[in-house]
Amino acid sequence: MAIPTLLKQYREEIVPVLKEKLGRTNVHSLPQIEKVVISMGIGAANQDRKRLTEAADHLTILAGQKSQITRARKSVAGFKLREGQEIGCRVTLRGTRMYEFLERLISLALPRVRDFRGVNPKAFDGAGNYSLGLNEQVVFLEIDPDSVHHAQGMNITIVTTAKDNDEGRLLLTELGMPFRK
């Protein structure tokens, strides 16, 4: 199996830069990406089952592996939600699929977002993990726009081994994440 370009770039170009900027010599102490979690919450899934299957199919196509249907943990009367009801889908990417997805996200999908001026540089969780949301799945080239009957947003969480937000921001900046100025 071929090594993804982003992984190759990380190993050959980004690791020396991180060593220099963070002042560390041990490669294993440098921040790296652990996993990428892509999730879609389908609010109308309890009225229309087709929306859930369509979103799960699109998520499977763009992730390259089967998506998992998520269920409600608790009943919430205000949202007409019952425990165990199917409400969304998610997929966790690791290894080469993760780097291939990130490469497509950074270089192809984000520039296709309408009125794109960069992603929010403050969307870190305090432990170096980054989350962003997209309004439509059609920004990915793998999704055929004619097959989309309901535009569906998605959340993408990039989990890193960084100790704090600054390390995570440095890692993602070096990987090419287009942060807003």
PDB file of all heavy atoms in Angstrom, residues 130-162:
ATOM      1  N   TYR A 130      -8.722  19.516  17.606  1.00  0.00           N
ATOM      2  CA  TYR A 130      -9.388  20.546  16.812  1.00  0.00           C
ATOM      3  C   TYR A 130     -10.702  20.015  16.234  1.00  0.00           C
ATOM      4  O   TYR A 130     -10.757  18.897  15.740  1.00  0.00           O
ATOM      5  CB  TYR A 130      -8.475  21.003  15.660  1.00  0.00           C
ATOM      6  CG  TYR A 130      -9.031  22.164  14.898  1.00  0.00           C
ATOM      7  CD1 TYR A 130      -9.018  23.444  15.436  1.00  0.00           C
ATOM      8  CD2 TYR A 130      -9.592  21.996  13.644  1.00  0.00           C
ATOM      9  CE1 TYR A 130      -9.543  24.514  14.750  1.00  0.00           C
ATOM     10  CE2 TYR A 130     -10.122  23.059  12.946  1.00  0.00           C
ATOM     11  CZ  TYR A 130     -10.091  24.317  13.502  1.00  0.00           C
ATOM     12  OH  TYR A 130     -10.621  25.381  12.825  1.00  0.00           O
ATOM     13  N   SER A 131     -11.749  20.839  16.279  1.00  0.00           N
ATOM     14  CA  SER A 131     -13.051  20.472  15.726  1.00  0.00           C
ATOM     15  C   SER A 131     -13.513  21.542  14.758  1.00  0.00           C
ATOM     16  O   SER A 131     -13.358  22.731  15.017  1.00  0.00           O
ATOM     17  CB  SER A 131     -14.092  20.336  16.833  1.00  0.00           C
ATOM     18  OG  SER A 131     -13.743  19.291  17.700  1.00  0.00           O
ATOM     19  N   LEU A 132     -14.084  21.091  13.639  1.00  0.00           N
ATOM     20  CA  LEU A 132     -14.659  22.033  12.696  1.00  0.00           C
ATOM     21  C   LEU A 132     -15.932  21.441  12.122  1.00  0.00           C
ATOM     22  O   LEU A 132     -16.116  20.228  12.120  1.00  0.00           O
ATOM     23  CB  LEU A 132     -13.677  22.392  11.576  1.00  0.00           C
ATOM     24  CG  LEU A 132     -13.393  21.377  10.494  1.00  0.00           C
ATOM     25  CD1 LEU A 132     -13.632  22.042   9.142  1.00  0.00           C
ATOM     26  CD2 LEU A 132     -11.951  20.939  10.558  1.00  0.00           C
ATOM     27  N   GLY A 133     -16.791  22.303  11.655  1.00  0.00           N
ATOM     28  CA  GLY A 133     -18.056  21.856  11.083  1.00  0.00           C
ATOM     29  C   GLY A 133     -18.185  22.316   9.649  1.00  0.00           C
ATOM     30  O   GLY A 133     -17.734  23.403   9.295  1.00  0.00           O
ATOM     31  N   LEU A 134     -18.780  21.470   8.832  1.00  0.00           N
ATOM     32  CA  LEU A 134     -19.080  21.822   7.445  1.00  0.00           C
ATOM     33  C   LEU A 134     -20.585  21.797   7.267  1.00  0.00           C
ATOM     34  O   LEU A 134     -21.270  20.954   7.843  1.00  0.00           O
ATOM     35  CB  LEU A 134     -18.429  20.824   6.484  1.00  0.00           C
ATOM     36  CG  LEU A 134     -16.901  20.789   6.457  1.00  0.00           C
ATOM     37  CD1 LEU A 134     -16.410  19.693   5.526  1.00  0.00           C
ATOM     38  CD2 LEU A 134     -16.340  22.123   6.029  1.00  0.00           C
ATOM     39  N   ASN A 135     -21.115  22.709   6.467  1.00  0.00           N
ATOM     40  CA  ASN A 135     -22.560  22.801   6.278  1.00  0.00           C
ATOM     41  C   ASN A 135     -23.111  21.792   5.293  1.00  0.00           C
ATOM     42  O   ASN A 135     -24.278  21.436   5.363  1.00  0.00           O
ATOM     43  CB  ASN A 135     -22.948  24.208   5.828  1.00  0.00           C
ATOM     44  CG  ASN A 135     -22.707  25.226   6.906  1.00  0.00           C
ATOM     45  OD1 ASN A 135     -22.733  24.899   8.088  1.00  0.00           O
ATOM     46  ND2 ASN A 135     -22.458  26.458   6.517  1.00  0.00           N
ATOM     47  N   GLU A 136     -22.289  21.360   4.329  1.00  0.00           N
ATOM     48  CA  GLU A 136     -22.767  20.434   3.298  1.00  0.00           C
ATOM     49  C   GLU A 136     -21.718  19.378   3.028  1.00  0.00           C
ATOM     50  O   GLU A 136     -20.522  19.642   3.125  1.00  0.00           O
ATOM     51  CB  GLU A 136     -23.029  21.175   1.981  1.00  0.00           C
ATOM     52  CG  GLU A 136     -23.915  22.363   2.066  1.00  0.00           C
ATOM     53  CD  GLU A 136     -24.081  23.016   0.703  1.00  0.00           C
ATOM     54  OE1 GLU A 136     -23.091  23.152  -0.027  1.00  0.00           O
ATOM     55  OE2 GLU A 136     -25.221  23.386   0.383  1.00  0.00           O
ATOM     56  N   GLN A 137     -22.179  18.202   2.633  1.00  0.00           N
ATOM     57  CA  GLN A 137     -21.244  17.148   2.289  1.00  0.00           C
ATOM     58  C   GLN A 137     -20.801  17.235   0.831  1.00  0.00           C
ATOM     59  O   GLN A 137     -19.888  16.544   0.420  1.00  0.00           O
ATOM     60  CB  GLN A 137     -21.825  15.762   2.597  1.00  0.00           C
ATOM     61  CG  GLN A 137     -22.947  15.305   1.705  1.00  0.00           C
ATOM     62  CD  GLN A 137     -24.316  15.631   2.239  1.00  0.00           C
ATOM     63  OE1 GLN A 137     -24.544  16.702   2.762  1.00  0.00           O
ATOM     64  NE2 GLN A 137     -25.254  14.707   2.104  1.00  0.00           N
ATOM     65  N   VAL A 138     -21.411  18.109   0.028  1.00  0.00           N
ATOM     66  CA  VAL A 138     -21.083  18.187  -1.393  1.00  0.00           C
ATOM     67  C   VAL A 138     -19.768  18.905  -1.671  1.00  0.00           C
ATOM     68  O   VAL A 138     -19.344  18.955  -2.825  1.00  0.00           O
ATOM     69  CB  VAL A 138     -22.219  18.834  -2.218  1.00  0.00           C
ATOM     70  CG1 VAL A 138     -23.425  17.922  -2.286  1.00  0.00           C
ATOM     71  CG2 VAL A 138     -22.584  20.177  -1.673  1.00  0.00           C
ATOM     72  N   VAL A 139     -19.101  19.454  -0.644  1.00  0.00           N
ATOM     73  CA  VAL A 139     -17.792  20.062  -0.873  1.00  0.00           C
ATOM     74  C   VAL A 139     -16.737  18.998  -1.169  1.00  0.00           C
ATOM     75  O   VAL A 139     -15.683  19.309  -1.714  1.00  0.00           O
ATOM     76  CB  VAL A 139     -17.336  20.952   0.309  1.00  0.00           C
ATOM     77  CG1 VAL A 139     -18.245  22.150   0.461  1.00  0.00           C
ATOM     78  CG2 VAL A 139     -17.234  20.181   1.583  1.00  0.00           C
ATOM     79  N   PHE A 140     -17.029  17.743  -0.838  1.00  0.00           N
ATOM     80  CA  PHE A 140     -16.119  16.653  -1.168  1.00  0.00           C
ATOM     81  C   PHE A 140     -16.420  16.172  -2.583  1.00  0.00           C
ATOM     82  O   PHE A 140     -17.580  15.993  -2.949  1.00  0.00           O
ATOM     83  CB  PHE A 140     -16.276  15.492  -0.172  1.00  0.00           C
ATOM     84  CG  PHE A 140     -15.727  15.815   1.184  1.00  0.00           C
ATOM     85  CD1 PHE A 140     -16.545  16.297   2.181  1.00  0.00           C
ATOM     86  CD2 PHE A 140     -14.377  15.633   1.458  1.00  0.00           C
ATOM     87  CE1 PHE A 140     -16.038  16.603   3.428  1.00  0.00           C
ATOM     88  CE2 PHE A 140     -13.865  15.931   2.702  1.00  0.00           C
ATOM     89  CZ  PHE A 140     -14.693  16.418   3.687  1.00  0.00           C
ATOM     90  N   LEU A 141     -15.379  15.948  -3.348  1.00  0.00           N
ATOM     91  CA  LEU A 141     -15.542  15.559  -4.750  1.00  0.00           C
ATOM     92  C   LEU A 141     -16.128  14.163  -4.913  1.00  0.00           C
ATOM     93  O   LEU A 141     -16.700  13.850  -5.954  1.00  0.00           O
ATOM     94  CB  LEU A 141     -14.186  15.627  -5.465  1.00  0.00           C
ATOM     95  CG  LEU A 141     -13.553  17.017  -5.532  1.00  0.00           C
ATOM     96  CD1 LEU A 141     -12.144  16.930  -6.090  1.00  0.00           C
ATOM     97  CD2 LEU A 141     -14.398  17.943  -6.364  1.00  0.00           C
ATOM     98  N   GLU A 142     -15.989  13.302  -3.903  1.00  0.00           N
ATOM     99  CA  GLU A 142     -16.483  11.928  -3.989  1.00  0.00           C
ATOM    100  C   GLU A 142     -18.011  11.862  -3.999  1.00  0.00           C
ATOM    101  O   GLU A 142     -18.591  10.904  -4.491  1.00  0.00           O
ATOM    102  CB  GLU A 142     -15.976  11.077  -2.811  1.00  0.00           C
ATOM    103  CG  GLU A 142     -14.482  10.906  -2.767  1.00  0.00           C
ATOM    104  CD  GLU A 142     -13.802  12.029  -1.999  1.00  0.00           C
ATOM    105  OE1 GLU A 142     -14.500  12.906  -1.442  1.00  0.00           O
ATOM    106  OE2 GLU A 142     -12.572  12.047  -1.983  1.00  0.00           O
ATOM    107  N   ILE A 143     -18.647  12.855  -3.426  1.00  0.00           N
ATOM    108  CA  ILE A 143     -20.106  12.869  -3.320  1.00  0.00           C
ATOM    109  C   ILE A 143     -20.693  13.475  -4.592  1.00  0.00           C
ATOM    110  O   ILE A 143     -20.385  14.610  -4.951  1.00  0.00           O
ATOM    111  CB  ILE A 143     -20.573  13.686  -2.091  1.00  0.00           C
ATOM    112  CG1 ILE A 143     -19.909  13.211  -0.815  1.00  0.00           C
ATOM    113  CG2 ILE A 143     -22.083  13.679  -1.972  1.00  0.00           C
ATOM    114  CD1 ILE A 143     -20.267  11.812  -0.402  1.00  0.00           C
ATOM    115  N   ASP A 144     -21.549  12.712  -5.272  1.00  0.00           N
ATOM    116  CA  ASP A 144     -22.215  13.184  -6.476  1.00  0.00           C
ATOM    117  C   ASP A 144     -23.334  14.154  -6.069  1.00  0.00           C
ATOM    118  O   ASP A 144     -24.243  13.765  -5.332  1.00  0.00           O
ATOM    119  CB  ASP A 144     -22.792  11.990  -7.244  1.00  0.00           C
ATOM    120  CG  ASP A 144     -23.514  12.401  -8.500  1.00  0.00           C
ATOM    121  OD1 ASP A 144     -23.172  13.462  -9.062  1.00  0.00           O
ATOM    122  OD2 ASP A 144     -24.434  11.664  -8.921  1.00  0.00           O
ATOM    123  N   PRO A 145     -23.282  15.403  -6.515  1.00  0.00           N
ATOM    124  CA  PRO A 145     -24.312  16.373  -6.105  1.00  0.00           C
ATOM    125  C   PRO A 145     -25.728  15.962  -6.502  1.00  0.00           C
ATOM    126  O   PRO A 145     -26.683  16.350  -5.843  1.00  0.00           O
ATOM    127  CB  PRO A 145     -23.911  17.657  -6.838  1.00  0.00           C
ATOM    128  CG  PRO A 145     -22.490  17.486  -7.192  1.00  0.00           C
ATOM    129  CD  PRO A 145     -22.248  16.023  -7.354  1.00  0.00           C
ATOM    130  N   ASP A 146     -25.862  15.161  -7.562  1.00  0.00           N
ATOM    131  CA  ASP A 146     -27.196  14.726  -7.985  1.00  0.00           C
ATOM    132  C   ASP A 146     -27.787  13.686  -7.042  1.00  0.00           C
ATOM    133  O   ASP A 146     -29.001  13.513  -6.992  1.00  0.00           O
ATOM    134  CB  ASP A 146     -27.141  14.152  -9.402  1.00  0.00           C
ATOM    135  CG  ASP A 146     -26.728  15.204 -10.422  1.00  0.00           C
ATOM    136  OD1 ASP A 146     -26.995  16.398 -10.168  1.00  0.00           O
ATOM    137  OD2 ASP A 146     -26.138  14.823 -11.450  1.00  0.00           O
ATOM    138  N   SER A 147     -26.927  12.992  -6.281  1.00  0.00           N
ATOM    139  CA  SER A 147     -27.422  11.970  -5.362  1.00  0.00           C
ATOM    140  C   SER A 147     -27.810  12.549  -4.004  1.00  0.00           C
ATOM    141  O   SER A 147     -28.323  11.836  -3.153  1.00  0.00           O
ATOM    142  CB  SER A 147     -26.367  10.876  -5.172  1.00  0.00           C
ATOM    143  OG  SER A 147     -25.283  11.379  -4.415  1.00  0.00           O
ATOM    144  N   VAL A 148     -27.550  13.845  -3.794  1.00  0.00           N
ATOM    145  CA  VAL A 148     -27.865  14.482  -2.517  1.00  0.00           C
ATOM    146  C   VAL A 148     -29.277  15.062  -2.576  1.00  0.00           C
ATOM    147  O   VAL A 148     -29.543  16.003  -3.316  1.00  0.00           O
ATOM    148  CB  VAL A 148     -26.850  15.601  -2.188  1.00  0.00           C
ATOM    149  CG1 VAL A 148     -27.225  16.307  -0.903  1.00  0.00           C
ATOM    150  CG2 VAL A 148     -25.452  15.040  -2.102  1.00  0.00           C
ATOM    151  N   HIS A 149     -30.182  14.465  -1.809  1.00  0.00           N
ATOM    152  CA  HIS A 149     -31.552  14.961  -1.749  1.00  0.00           C
ATOM    153  C   HIS A 149     -31.737  15.925  -0.582  1.00  0.00           C
ATOM    154  O   HIS A 149     -32.580  16.813  -0.634  1.00  0.00           O
ATOM    155  CB  HIS A 149     -32.543  13.803  -1.627  1.00  0.00           C
ATOM    156  CG  HIS A 149     -32.433  12.841  -2.769  1.00  0.00           C
ATOM    157  ND1 HIS A 149     -32.727  13.189  -4.063  1.00  0.00           N
ATOM    158  CD2 HIS A 149     -32.025  11.550  -2.822  1.00  0.00           C
ATOM    159  CE1 HIS A 149     -32.533  12.159  -4.865  1.00  0.00           C
ATOM    160  NE2 HIS A 149     -32.105  11.143  -4.138  1.00  0.00           N
ATOM    161  N   HIS A 150     -30.947  15.726   0.470  1.00  0.00           N
ATOM    162  CA  HIS A 150     -31.006  16.588   1.651  1.00  0.00           C
ATOM    163  C   HIS A 150     -29.570  16.975   2.013  1.00  0.00           C
ATOM    164  O   HIS A 150     -28.759  16.114   2.335  1.00  0.00           O
ATOM    165  CB  HIS A 150     -31.641  15.857   2.834  1.00  0.00           C
ATOM    166  CG  HIS A 150     -32.983  15.274   2.529  1.00  0.00           C
ATOM    167  ND1 HIS A 150     -34.113  16.052   2.402  1.00  0.00           N
ATOM    168  CD2 HIS A 150     -33.385  14.006   2.306  1.00  0.00           C
ATOM    169  CE1 HIS A 150     -35.137  15.277   2.124  1.00  0.00           C
ATOM    170  NE2 HIS A 150     -34.724  14.022   2.055  1.00  0.00           N
ATOM    171  N   ALA A 151     -29.268  18.271   1.956  1.00  0.00           N
ATOM    172  CA  ALA A 151     -27.936  18.735   2.341  1.00  0.00           C
ATOM    173  C   ALA A 151     -27.756  18.470   3.833  1.00  0.00           C
ATOM    174  O   ALA A 151     -28.635  18.772   4.649  1.00  0.00           O
ATOM    175  CB  ALA A 151     -27.777  20.214   2.041  1.00  0.00           C
ATOM    176  N   GLN A 152     -26.638  17.879   4.190  1.00  0.00           N
ATOM    177  CA  GLN A 152     -26.396  17.467   5.568  1.00  0.00           C
ATOM    178  C   GLN A 152     -25.030  17.980   6.025  1.00  0.00           C
ATOM    179  O   GLN A 152     -24.048  17.810   5.328  1.00  0.00           O
ATOM    180  CB  GLN A 152     -26.434  15.932   5.648  1.00  0.00           C
ATOM    181  CG  GLN A 152     -26.200  15.365   7.002  1.00  0.00           C
ATOM    182  CD  GLN A 152     -27.262  15.803   7.991  1.00  0.00           C
ATOM    183  OE1 GLN A 152     -28.445  15.801   7.701  1.00  0.00           O
ATOM    184  NE2 GLN A 152     -26.837  16.197   9.171  1.00  0.00           N
ATOM    185  N   GLY A 153     -24.983  18.601   7.183  1.00  0.00           N
ATOM    186  CA  GLY A 153     -23.732  19.069   7.741  1.00  0.00           C
ATOM    187  C   GLY A 153     -22.983  17.954   8.433  1.00  0.00           C
ATOM    188  O   GLY A 153     -23.519  16.860   8.650  1.00  0.00           O
ATOM    189  N   MET A 154     -21.722  18.222   8.767  1.00  0.00           N
ATOM    190  CA  MET A 154     -20.919  17.213   9.457  1.00  0.00           C
ATOM    191  C   MET A 154     -19.920  17.897  10.379  1.00  0.00           C
ATOM    192  O   MET A 154     -19.537  19.042  10.160  1.00  0.00           O
ATOM    193  CB  MET A 154     -20.193  16.313   8.461  1.00  0.00           C
ATOM    194  CG  MET A 154     -19.141  17.013   7.639  1.00  0.00           C
ATOM    195  SD  MET A 154     -18.303  15.921   6.502  1.00  0.00           S
ATOM    196  CE  MET A 154     -19.604  15.544   5.378  1.00  0.00           C
ATOM    197  N   ASN A 155     -19.549  17.170  11.416  1.00  0.00           N
ATOM    198  CA  ASN A 155     -18.525  17.624  12.344  1.00  0.00           C
ATOM    199  C   ASN A 155     -17.282  16.784  12.122  1.00  0.00           C
ATOM    200  O   ASN A 155     -17.374  15.563  12.023  1.00  0.00           O
ATOM    201  CB  ASN A 155     -18.991  17.448  13.794  1.00  0.00           C
ATOM    202  CG  ASN A 155     -20.242  18.235  14.077  1.00  0.00           C
ATOM    203  OD1 ASN A 155     -20.386  19.359  13.634  1.00  0.00           O
ATOM    204  ND2 ASN A 155     -21.165  17.631  14.802  1.00  0.00           N
ATOM    205  N   ILE A 156     -16.122  17.436  12.084  1.00  0.00           N
ATOM    206  CA  ILE A 156     -14.857  16.744  11.910  1.00  0.00           C
ATOM    207  C   ILE A 156     -13.983  17.103  13.100  1.00  0.00           C
ATOM    208  O   ILE A 156     -13.723  18.285  13.345  1.00  0.00           O
ATOM    209  CB  ILE A 156     -14.177  17.148  10.593  1.00  0.00           C
ATOM    210  CG1 ILE A 156     -15.098  16.835   9.422  1.00  0.00           C
ATOM    211  CG2 ILE A 156     -12.838  16.457  10.442  1.00  0.00           C
ATOM    212  CD1 ILE A 156     -14.661  17.432   8.109  1.00  0.00           C
ATOM    213  N   THR A 157     -13.552  16.092  13.841  1.00  0.00           N
ATOM    214  CA  THR A 157     -12.682  16.302  14.990  1.00  0.00           C
ATOM    215  C   THR A 157     -11.335  15.653  14.714  1.00  0.00           C
ATOM    216  O   THR A 157     -11.273  14.463  14.405  1.00  0.00           O
ATOM    217  CB  THR A 157     -13.296  15.706  16.267  1.00  0.00           C
ATOM    218  OG1 THR A 157     -14.577  16.305  16.478  1.00  0.00           O
ATOM    219  CG2 THR A 157     -12.419  15.970  17.478  1.00  0.00           C
ATOM    220  N   ILE A 158     -10.271  16.442  14.822  1.00  0.00           N
ATOM    221  CA  ILE A 158      -8.909  15.947  14.625  1.00  0.00           C
ATOM    222  C   ILE A 158      -8.289  15.803  16.002  1.00  0.00           C
ATOM    223  O   ILE A 158      -8.039  16.797  16.683  1.00  0.00           O
ATOM    224  CB  ILE A 158      -8.097  16.914  13.745  1.00  0.00           C
ATOM    225  CG1 ILE A 158      -8.806  17.110  12.403  1.00  0.00           C
ATOM    226  CG2 ILE A 158      -6.680  16.405  13.546  1.00  0.00           C
ATOM    227  CD1 ILE A 158      -8.260  18.237  11.569  1.00  0.00           C
ATOM    228  N   VAL A 159      -8.068  14.563  16.419  1.00  0.00           N
ATOM    229  CA  VAL A 159      -7.514  14.272  17.746  1.00  0.00           C
ATOM    230  C   VAL A 159      -5.998  14.147  17.611  1.00  0.00           C
ATOM    231  O   VAL A 159      -5.508  13.358  16.802  1.00  0.00           O
ATOM    232  CB  VAL A 159      -8.119  12.974  18.328  1.00  0.00           C
ATOM    233  CG1 VAL A 159      -7.548  12.682  19.699  1.00  0.00           C
ATOM    234  CG2 VAL A 159      -9.632  13.082  18.389  1.00  0.00           C
ATOM    235  N   THR A 160      -5.271  14.934  18.403  1.00  0.00           N
ATOM    236  CA  THR A 160      -3.812  14.930  18.347  1.00  0.00           C
ATOM    237  C   THR A 160      -3.233  14.497  19.693  1.00  0.00           C
ATOM    238  O   THR A 160      -3.939  14.437  20.698  1.00  0.00           O
ATOM    239  CB  THR A 160      -3.261  16.330  18.007  1.00  0.00           C
ATOM    240  OG1 THR A 160      -3.560  17.222  19.089  1.00  0.00           O
ATOM    241  CG2 THR A 160      -3.871  16.870  16.733  1.00  0.00           C
ATOM    242  N   THR A 161      -1.931  14.241  19.692  1.00  0.00           N
ATOM    243  CA  THR A 161      -1.225  13.913  20.936  1.00  0.00           C
ATOM    244  C   THR A 161      -0.591  15.164  21.544  1.00  0.00           C
ATOM    245  O   THR A 161       0.240  15.040  22.435  1.00  0.00           O
ATOM    246  CB  THR A 161      -0.137  12.862  20.684  1.00  0.00           C
ATOM    247  OG1 THR A 161       0.793  13.388  19.735  1.00  0.00           O
ATOM    248  CG2 THR A 161      -0.729  11.573  20.176  1.00  0.00           C
ATOM    249  N   ALA A 162      -0.964  16.326  21.078  1.00  0.00           N
ATOM    250  CA  ALA A 162      -0.409  17.583  21.590  1.00  0.00           C
ATOM    251  C   ALA A 162      -0.811  17.787  23.045  1.00  0.00           C
ATOM    252  O   ALA A 162      -1.869  17.354  23.478  1.00  0.00           O
ATOM    253  CB  ALA A 162      -0.899  18.752  20.740  1.00  0.00           C
TER     254      ALA A 162
END
